[in-house]
Amino acid sequence: MTDYAADSILVLAELTPSGELTKSTVALLGAAAAVGTPAALVVSPPEAGPGAAEAASAAGAARVLVAHAADFTTALTVPTVDALAAAAELVKPDAVLIGNSIEGRDVAGRFAARTRSSLAVDAVGISRDDEGIVAAHSVYGGAYNVSSAATWGFPVITVRQGAIDSPARPQIVAIETLEVAASGKAAATIVSFAESTEVSSRPELRGASKVVSGGRGLGSTENFALVEQLADTLGAAIGASRAAVDAGYIEQSHQVGQTGVSVSPQLYVALGISGAIQHRAGMQTAKTIVAINKDADAPIFDITDFGVVGDVFTVVPGLIAALDAHKA
Ligand code: FAD
């Protein structure tokens, strides 16, 4: 027996290195609330304060479990999997949602293997039908939309950052402590940790709600400044095609696509990008897609909501001026 809601969805909270709840966890709680009753699990070192747990209830968790793992900062992944296994035992969830980050995929794989659960990765949507929780995926470079569901037990689902944006109502809940017996499973040891911070006034590409990307059509590193100007006007993150990265207009960390970052923003603006399948694979799930390209037959126009056939060097300065005038 459990006193958790029968339709509970267990969400693994992801924390920043400084212990704050990530934006993607807020989105996971929203996704969970849309299909059931969200229960959040916060795993942190013993000295951590209640900030992340409080933030989880403010983001819609109906129950918040906190596991303080003594070896959280010295053993990789295993303490989190131990806590998740204990939480799942207690909550008996209909599904477990985890962010599709590097750490999230690592935890999800180990946890699914340990609990003999099914694993669905990189979901872009979560729904519920008569038989349980269903994950939606955009696959083969966005060419197909498919659904996956578990035929036994609860599914473990990793959710693409930025793909789901339906905030849940804040809750005021008592924070519960979860006792976790360490499994003693082999774990890689964390010898040292150095945080690498990039100082930027722009949003981070992964999880950004608006992205402006530039392609080979920009023609040079100097001209790529136009992409930055439009991004700053819109408060957007900066993306790029691989051709723009290969040409040295911008660093590889900004590459969107099959071999770059996958984004699902509310708004994606593609400037001078042809729309090759490998690029589309990383942005096709954006809610609204706008493209400016001087070739009316460019494949990017097959997936745009708004397309402008024109020269970026004429259209974009006009667009920036119009947006500035609108703000004033
Ligand atoms: P192009 O295809 O050269 O297109 C440039 C566009 O700019 C054209 O449509 C042109 O009409 C337009 N243009 C030119 N001048 C102007 C102007 N003044 N105003 C308006 N429009 C203009 N690509 C990615 O992006 N991401 C990936 O992750 C990725 N992974 C790959 C993995 C593999 C295994 C392979 C084989 C390829 C991958 N690629 C990836 C490369 C991909 O196939 C394309 O080559 C690349 O996306 C093209 O970039 P682009 O659209 O900027 O350049």
Side-chain angles (χ1 to χ4, degrees):
M1 273 299 283
T2 169
D3 68 339
Y4 283 77
D7 65 349
S8 286
I9 308 291
L10 181 59
V11 171
L12 176 65
E14 214 166 34
L15 308 186
T16 64
S18 51
E20 284 138 27
L21 201 73
T22 60
K23 252 171 57 185
S24 60
T25 306
V26 175
L28 288 183
L29 288 164
V35 295
T37 306
L41 169 65
V42 177
V43 189
S44 55
E47 65 277 11
E54 287 166 2
S57 69
R63 303 283 289 262
V64 180
L65 289 164
V66 175
H68 289 306
D71 53 352
F72 183 68
T73 49
T74 52
L76 203 62
T77 315
V78 170
T80 306
V81 177
D82 289 350
L84 201 49
E89 186 62 33
L90 188 67
V91 175
K92 307 255 183 283
D94 281 352
V96 175
L97 303 188
I98 300 175
N100 191 52
S101 59
I102 293 170
E103 295 81 6
R105 289 196 298 269
D106 191 11
V107 170
R110 280 172 177 259
F111 172 67
R114 198 190 287 186
T115 55
R116 301 184 65 78
S117 304
S118 57
L119 177 64
V121 296
D122 199 21
V124 295
I126 305 287
S127 58
R128 182 188 279 275
D129 69 10
D130 294 345
E131 292 175 46
I133 300 300
V134 180
H137 309 261
S138 172
V139 300
Y140 292 124
Y144 295 92
N145 295 322
V146 298
S147 300
S148 67
T151 50
W152 79 95
F154 56 80
V156 179
I157 304 170
T158 70
V159 180
R160 187 183 295 184
Q161 282 165 300
I164 301 177
D165 183 31
S166 58
R169 248 191 258 139
Q171 308 281 334
I172 300 169
V173 296
I175 294 160
E176 301 158 54
T177 303
L178 178 70
E179 296 303 332
V180 181
S183 65
K185 302 252 186 223
T189 305
I190 303 170
V191 177
S192 66
F193 171 80
E195 192 179 345
S196 136
T197 45
E198 198 178 313
V199 182
S200 170
S201 54
R202 299 191 181 107
E204 206 206 333
L205 179 57
R206 224 182 270 269
S209 62
K210 293 177 208 161
V211 175
V212 177
S213 284
R216 197 188 331 246
L218 270 297
S220 70
T221 309
E222 294 70 43
N223 290 345
F224 205 83
L226 194 62
V227 177
E228 297 171 3
Q229 284 164 22
L230 181 58
D232 289 343
T233 306
L234 289 168
I238 294 181
S241 71
R242 177 159 145 185
V245 169
D246 288 350
Y249 303 165
I250 190 158
E251 308 89 78
Q252 204 276 335
S253 57
H254 291 269
Q255 182 180 318
V256 171
Q258 186 182 316
T259 44
V261 173
S262 287
V263 295
S264 273
Q266 297 298 308
L267 173 67
Y268 188 89
V269 184
L271 306 178
I273 292 178
S274 60
I277 184 86
Q278 296 88 355
H279 186 78
R280 288 157 59 154
M283 46 67 73
Q284 188 143 312
T285 54
K287 306 296 173 296
T288 301
I289 300 173
V290 178
I292 303 171
N293 193 305
K294 65 182 183 186
D295 175 7
D297 295 324
I300 191 81
F301 289 127
D302 295 344
I303 56 162
T304 50
D305 299 284
F306 301 99
V308 180
V309 179
D311 190 319
V312 287
F313 303 110
T314 313
V315 178
V316 176
L319 179 59
I320 292 171
L323 287 165
D324 283 341
H326 188 70
K327 275 188 207 163

